[in-house]
Amino acid sequence: MAVIALLALVLDVLIGWPDAVYRRVGHPVTWAGRLIAALDRTLNKGRARRAKGALTVVVVLLAAMIPAVLIQAWLGPWVAAVLAWPLVAARSLDQHLRAVAVPLAAGDLAAARGATAMIVGRDVTRADTPALSRASLESLAENFSDGVIAPLFWAAVGGLPGIAAYKAINTMDSMIGHRTPRHEAFGMIAARLDDVANLIPARLSAGLIAIASGRRARAALRVTLRDASAHRSPNAGWPEGAMAGALDCRLSGPRVYADRVADEPWLNAAAPDPDAADLRRGIALIRRATVVAALLLAAVALL
């Protein structure tokens, strides 16, 4: 199964998901999104919303896993690896963060704010360079875990069905796993399942970031072990804490959303705010961590 994960990563890094293909057929995540949205519209009303949310989870998982199981059984691991390829997001993560880093380094805050708004949910319309750098580095660390390491982990564990199930869970969490009046009951099972699915990958991601940070590895681990549990998420604090320690900057902290101000605790609070140079260093760090992940997958595949 590690071969499937490794080949999917290599294809993603080399090719990504081409725009021409996306325009013609979309993307597996958008296909799952349409199913989730339809079930949300149909079932998320009236009584027993938690039970209806659980039914949604079952339907979406079956829709993702049954074709994956059949394809892997009938067509083998090479075809499974090709079909797992669009479910890894290393290349797109790098592209989205460079879209912030380039204008930020040039002092073009308007362009940097626009690019940052594409990758975070908070309000960045008046964010300065430190706030944009923090938001982008947090997104980089969290999405390294959710978009790269978690899919690879579940592909290594379960092949194409494993990665398909994980992406279905992660997509459900992003669409219905919110603590809002509409989704708090309906999306509860999806949100809890996403927490469980990311439990191991988040900690692996922190370790990979620490390894890739070289001489800062001990600091990255120290900040992670000290501060990760203070994060609002049971998982995101691990890669974000490792990033904060590796770059010697503070992350998280208060942020503004459309309807509220969230007074989140700091990660690595005594360190200075990050700047544009730290964002570029963070992007390079995640590239190195991705290489380390590839080497580990290759070692497992050889064994």
Side-chain angles (χ1 to χ4, degrees):
M1 299 298 184
V3 172
I4 292 174
L6 179 60
L7 289 176
L9 175 61
V10 170
L11 286 171
D12 174 67
V13 169
L14 293 178
I15 303 172
W17 192 242
D19 289 340
V21 175
Y22 181 81
R23 288 193 297 269
R24 184 175 293 273
V25 301
H27 187 277
V29 170
T30 65
W31 306 341
R34 285 195 287 269
L35 174 59
I36 296 163
L39 291 168
D40 186 19
R41 288 192 304 270
T42 304
L43 298 178
N44 191 10
K45 61 183 70 172
R47 298 179 179 179
R49 292 196 184 195
R50 186 175 298 178
K52 293 174 181 177
L55 176 61
T56 295
V57 169
V58 171
V59 170
V60 173
L61 280 176
L62 289 175
M65 292 185 68
I66 289 174
V69 169
L70 295 176
I71 288 168
Q72 185 164 302
W74 293 346
L75 301 179
W78 300 106
V79 173
V82 172
L83 294 178
W85 150 38
L87 303 179
V88 182
R91 187 181 180 94
S92 66
L93 178 61
D94 189 82
Q95 290 172 336
H96 279 94
L97 269 297
R98 283 191 289 112
V100 179
V102 171
L104 194 62
D108 187 351
L109 288 183
R113 287 167 182 154
T116 305
M118 299 292 293
I119 59 173
V120 300
R122 70 192 71 172
D123 182 1
V124 295
T125 54
R126 291 178 291 179
D128 57 10
T129 295
L132 292 170
S133 300
R134 280 199 309 272
S136 297
L137 284 169
E138 291 162 26
S139 178
L140 175 63
E142 185 174 0
N143 284 290
F144 173 64
S145 178
D146 291 358
V148 181
I149 299 306
L152 293 176
F153 173 80
W154 288 109
V157 169
L160 183 60
I163 191 173
Y166 172 76
K167 292 302 290 188
I169 292 167
N170 192 241
T171 305
M172 283 189 284
D173 179 62
S174 68
M175 293 182 66
I176 63 174
H178 309 295
R179 291 184 177 179
T180 61
R182 175 171 176 78
H183 287 119
E184 186 165 13
F186 186 76
M188 189 194 74
I189 301 299
R192 297 296 178 270
L193 193 56
D194 184 73
D195 288 342
V196 172
N198 281 296
L199 194 69
I200 295 173
R203 287 145 183 82
L204 285 175
S205 299
L208 291 167
I209 291 170
I211 292 169
S213 67
R215 294 179 180 178
R216 295 287 306 174
R218 184 174 296 179
L221 290 174
R222 183 177 65 249
V223 172
T224 303
L225 294 174
R226 185 190 66 209
D227 294 349
S229 61
H231 200 282
R232 69 189 185 282
S233 164
N235 295 316
W238 287 79
E240 289 182 24
M243 179 71 77
L247 299 179
D248 192 26
C249 66
R250 65 177 184 171
L251 297 177
S252 194
R255 72 280 308 274
V256 179
Y257 293 95
D259 58 344
R260 61 190 172 91
V261 176
D263 189 18
E264 301 291 347
W266 291 102
L267 299 173
N268 204 22
D273 281 318
D275 57 19
D278 290 318
L279 178 55
R280 297 179 80 97
R281 289 170 57 218
I283 294 170
L285 174 61
I286 291 302
R287 289 174 180 169
R288 295 195 299 273
T290 302
V291 172
V292 175
L295 293 175
L296 290 175
L297 285 172
V300 172
L302 288 174
L303 292 174

